[in-house]
């Protein structure tokens, strides 16, 4: 149990103690800073401590936001503050620094405000809660208390809590088609003690059942699959809203939510492909192409965001134009819909599944996502070229981790280090050539399953090593990981398709899914502040260039049926390796909770 320390003049009839117990706090009192320090030191080191002024008047949700949010080491509103174990030492120091004696009354009159200022100066990550329409204040006189109570009564904090459970920046379909009722489903779950992770798991199971229905290949199955996919998305929105409603944030929860989103979508692709096969239509190449395109789109998003995570503000003309367009309401929604976010994408997939065929679903998906990818990538390239910003070492390391370079590329990079200039366009050009040389060859060659293709793969690896030989701090260096992903995934697709034997494309689908999981896992570890997967895992998987080399060797050395078996075995081995390490890491991870802000109150 967490401990709340009331320090200040007591107030008869105040509901404060009851509110604190409602939030799970053991309430104790201290008459002065010395007594408060003694109580703070007596609380076990692994527990949260709150310091609250007894004269606090405000909404229960204002207290909840300040005292129970797990994402911040310390947080505060007027009259209340909290410190998690990471900030406990700073809180103890702040209390110990308060002088006693004549002339110090102003420091202890509202002790919580003095402690808040002290923690802010210590730069421990103190979060000052944005209250919006919520009320939180220290009433020093009866008149102030009466005014504060009237202000509290004028605002329904439950309505605020429901509204802030919904993200302020979501797609059109999610905002108007899902969130108006999913927020109430989130509250229903909270009142029954359900956790966001449980809702996330329910969403995954629903999507897997939808994929199974699609795999039947019947019209009834397709209709049921469409409805279940939409319901899975409702649950997918609900888990995040439940996390914000009840402040149940966690790094593992964010990882499960993001990972399951990909698992659901790609499993559904596989279900559509199996259903089409039952009807005599082979769309595995389209299913794999859709997965490749979606994954590459996401890598563009991740790489661009990581490259600019801690860069200076964007003052480019492109950013200025975007800012002007934001002032015109309808353009905001149009631009959000153009990029085909998950809500619009899943709605389109669900409706087309119920009304048309899997082939049409994949054609629409490929065309829509290709246009969205061109739009977003072109805008980001323009922003990057016109932006004056110095990329940090942290950003360069994140891009290097996302590049997923194996032992061969590392060896080449070490030998090429010192050549070229950091911040030039050399890295993205080399990465582009690395992918282009390989893809042009396998697409244009009549028989790409030859030893000549292995030689081309070696040349591709040389170019890939040159691309990462210097720190990735250039304006367009965020394009390096997407180029590598496209080169690897499309090569697997083409070689499997050219094998032209049953089972080759499903095996390639499984292999790309396993590798893509490894790449998504890398992203979520970086986002969670825990760093990339260990180097031994990257080396064990071969890196992108090592996997390409192995696959081209297998294609050249084996018969088409043998190549299919080898792809299957490789997919299983990689999936087991990355899944076991990923699950081990996330179950044991002590990373801080991930920030997932909704709309300010």
């Amino acid at each position: 149990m967490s401990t709340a320390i009331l320090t200040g003049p007591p107030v008869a009839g105040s509901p404060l103690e009851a509110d604190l117990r409602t939030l799970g706090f053991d309430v104790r009192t201290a008459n002065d800073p010395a007594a408060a320090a003694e109580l703070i030191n007596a609380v076990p080191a692994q527990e949260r401590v709150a310091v609250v002024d007894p004269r606090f008047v405000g909404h229960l949700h204002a207290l909840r936001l300040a005292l129970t949010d797990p994402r911040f080491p310390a947080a505060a509103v007027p009259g209340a503050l909290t410190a998690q174990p990471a900030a406990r030492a700073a809180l103890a120091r702040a209390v110990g620094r308060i002088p006693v004696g004549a002339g110090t009354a102003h420091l202890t009159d509202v002790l919580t405000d003095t402690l808040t200022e002290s923690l802010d100066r210590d730069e421990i990550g103190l979060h000052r809660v944005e209250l919006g329409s919520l009320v939180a204040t220290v009433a020093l006189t009866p008149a102030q208390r009466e005014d504060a109570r009237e202000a509290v009564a004028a605002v329904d904090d439950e309505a605020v809590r429901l509204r802030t459970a919904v993200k302020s920046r979501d797609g059109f379909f999610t905002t108007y088609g899902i969130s108006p009722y999913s927020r109430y489903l989130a509250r229903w779950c909270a009142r029954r003690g359900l956790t966001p992770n449980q809702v996330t798991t329910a969403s995954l199971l629903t999507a897997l059942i939808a994929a199974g229905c699609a795999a039947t290949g019947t019209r009834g199955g397709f209709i049921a699959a469409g409805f279940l996919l939409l319901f899975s998305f409702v649950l997918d929105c609900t888990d995040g809203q439940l996390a914000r409603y009840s402040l149940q944030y966690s790094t593992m929860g964010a990882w499960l939510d993001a990972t399951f989103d990909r698992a659901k979508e790609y499993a559904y692709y596989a279900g559509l492909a199996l259903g089409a096969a039952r009807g005599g239509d082979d769309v595995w190449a389209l299913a794999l192409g859709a997965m490749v395109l979606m994954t590459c789109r996401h890598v563009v998003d991740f790489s661009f965001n990581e490259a600019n995570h801690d860069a200076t503000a964007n003052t480019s003309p492109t950013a200025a134009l975007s800012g002007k367009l934001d002032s015109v309401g309808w353009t905001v929604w149009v631009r959000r819909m153009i990029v085909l976010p998950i809500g619009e994408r899943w709605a389109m997939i669900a409706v087309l599944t119920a009304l048309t065929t899997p082939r049409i679903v994949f054609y629409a998906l490929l065309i829509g996502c290709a246009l969205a990818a061109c739009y977003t990538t072109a805008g980001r390239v323009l922003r990057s070229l016109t932006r004056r910003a110095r990329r940090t070492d942290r950003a360069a390391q994140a891009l290097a981790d996302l590049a997923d370079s194996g032992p061969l590329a590392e060896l080449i990079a070490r030998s090429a280090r010192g050549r070229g200039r950091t911040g030039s366009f050399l890295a993205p050009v080399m990465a582009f050539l690395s992918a282009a040389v390989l893809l042009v060859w396998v697409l244009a060659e009549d028989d790409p399953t030859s030893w000549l293709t292995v030689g081309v793969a070696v040349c591709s690896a040389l170019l890939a090593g040159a691309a990462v030989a210097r720190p990735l701090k250039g304006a367009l260096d965020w394009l390096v990981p997407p180029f590598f992903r496209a080169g690897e995934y499309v090569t697997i697709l083409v070689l499997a398709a050219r094998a032209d034997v049953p089972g080759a494309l499903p095996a390639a689908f499984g292999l790309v899914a396993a590798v893509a999981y490894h790449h998504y896992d890398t992203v979520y570890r970086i986002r969670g502040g825990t760093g990339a997967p260990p180097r031994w895992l990257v080396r064990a998987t071969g890196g992108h260039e090592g996997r390409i080399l192995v696959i081209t060797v297998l294609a050249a050395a084996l018969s088409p049926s043998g190549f299919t078996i080898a792809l299957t075995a490789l997919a299983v081995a990689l999936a087991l390796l990355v899944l076991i390490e990923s699950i081990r890491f996330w179950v044991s991870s002590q990373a801080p909770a991930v920030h997932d802000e909704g709309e300010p109150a």
Side-chain angles (χ1 to χ4, degrees), residues 357-372:
T357 66
R359 181 172 289 273
I360 293 176
V361 173
F362 285 123
Y363 281 154
L365 189 61
L366 287 166
I367 293 171
C369 289
L371 292 174

Side-chain angles (χ1 to χ4, degrees), residues 7 30-41 95-96 98-100 108 111:
T7 175
N31 296 323
D32 52 54
E38 184 177 344
L39 286 175
I40 289 172
N41 292 327
V95 176
I98 295 177
V100 295
T108 57
L111 181 61

Side-chain angles (χ1 to χ4, degrees), residues 492 495-496 504-505 507-508 511 551 554 562-572:
I492 296 172
L495 290 178
L505 281 167
L511 177 58
I551 290 165
L554 292 174
F563 179 58
T564 300
I565 295 172
L567 281 182
T568 304
L570 188 59
V572 171

Side-chain angles (χ1 to χ4, degrees), residues 5-321:
I5 300 170
L6 296 176
T7 175
V11 178
S14 171
L16 180 59
E17 289 193 33
D19 287 345
L20 290 171
R21 290 191 175 95
T22 297
L23 297 178
F25 283 89
D26 177 24
V27 181
R28 304 180 186 180
T29 60
N31 296 323
D32 52 54
E38 184 177 344
L39 286 175
I40 289 172
N41 292 327
V43 175
Q46 70 275 13
E47 288 188 13
R48 175 194 294 267
V49 171
V51 180
V52 184
D53 193 301
R55 297 164 294 180
F56 174 89
V57 179
H59 287 99
L60 175 62
H61 192 51
L63 275 179
R64 182 182 290 108
L65 291 170
L67 304 185
T68 67
D69 196 328
R71 298 172 297 168
F72 310 102
V77 293
L81 66 93
T82 185
Q84 294 204 67
R88 285 278 304 277
L91 177 60
R93 288 195 303 269
V95 176
R97 284 197 296 260
I98 295 177
V100 295
T104 64
H106 67 286
L107 297 175
T108 57
D109 186 32
V110 184
L111 181 61
T112 52
D113 290 355
T114 301
L115 294 177
T116 297
E117 295 300 327
S118 181
L119 290 176
D120 209 4
R121 288 193 298 271
D122 281 352
E123 297 183 353
I124 60 168
L126 174 72
H127 172 63
R128 293 181 182 268
V129 177
E130 294 182 29
L131 291 171
S133 57
L134 294 175
V135 176
T137 187
V138 176
L140 301 179
T141 66
Q144 290 178 354
R145 176 169 293 275
E146 187 60 30
D147 290 342
R149 285 174 174 171
E150 290 179 1
V152 169
V155 176
D156 184 353
D157 68 337
E158 178 60 21
V160 171
R161 190 180 178 191
L162 274 173
R163 177 164 52 85
T164 55
V166 178
K167 282 184 178 179
S168 59
R169 292 183 58 84
D170 244 329
F172 182 86
F173 177 73
T174 303
T175 300
Y176 294 105
I178 303 295
S179 293
Y181 55 88
S182 62
R183 69 184 75 184
Y184 296 100
L185 178 58
R187 181 172 66 181
W188 183 89
C189 293
R191 290 177 175 177
R192 282 152 185 81
L194 298 177
T195 67
N197 289 352
Q198 290 171 334
V199 178
T200 301
T201 302
S203 175
L204 172 66
L205 293 175
T206 303
L208 293 179
I209 295 172
C213 291
T216 63
T218 63
R219 178 50 52 194
F222 288 147
I223 293 173
F227 278 110
L228 286 171
L229 187 65
L230 282 178
F231 183 60
S232 174
F233 182 65
V234 171
L235 293 176
D236 184 54
C237 294
T238 301
D239 63 4
Q241 291 165 359
L242 174 58
R244 286 183 289 275
Y245 180 85
S246 56
L247 300 183
Q248 296 183 72
Y249 298 102
S250 69
T251 298
M252 185 173 182
W255 168 71
L256 285 176
D257 184 41
T259 303
F260 284 4
D261 278 351
R262 306 287 77 78
K264 288 181 287 190
E265 188 165 3
Y266 298 159
Y268 193 80
Y269 293 173
L272 284 175
L274 289 170
R278 286 180 177 272
D281 190 12
D282 186 357
V283 296
W284 275 106
L286 296 177
L288 180 51
M291 182 166 67
V292 169
L293 180 56
M294 283 305 309
T295 306
C296 289
R297 269 193 67 189
H298 290 143
V299 173
V300 168
D301 295 340
F302 299 146
S303 297
F304 179 81
N305 290 335
E306 287 303 323
N308 296 282
H309 176 79
D310 43 14
T312 54
N314 194 343
T315 57
S316 69
T318 310
L321 175 61

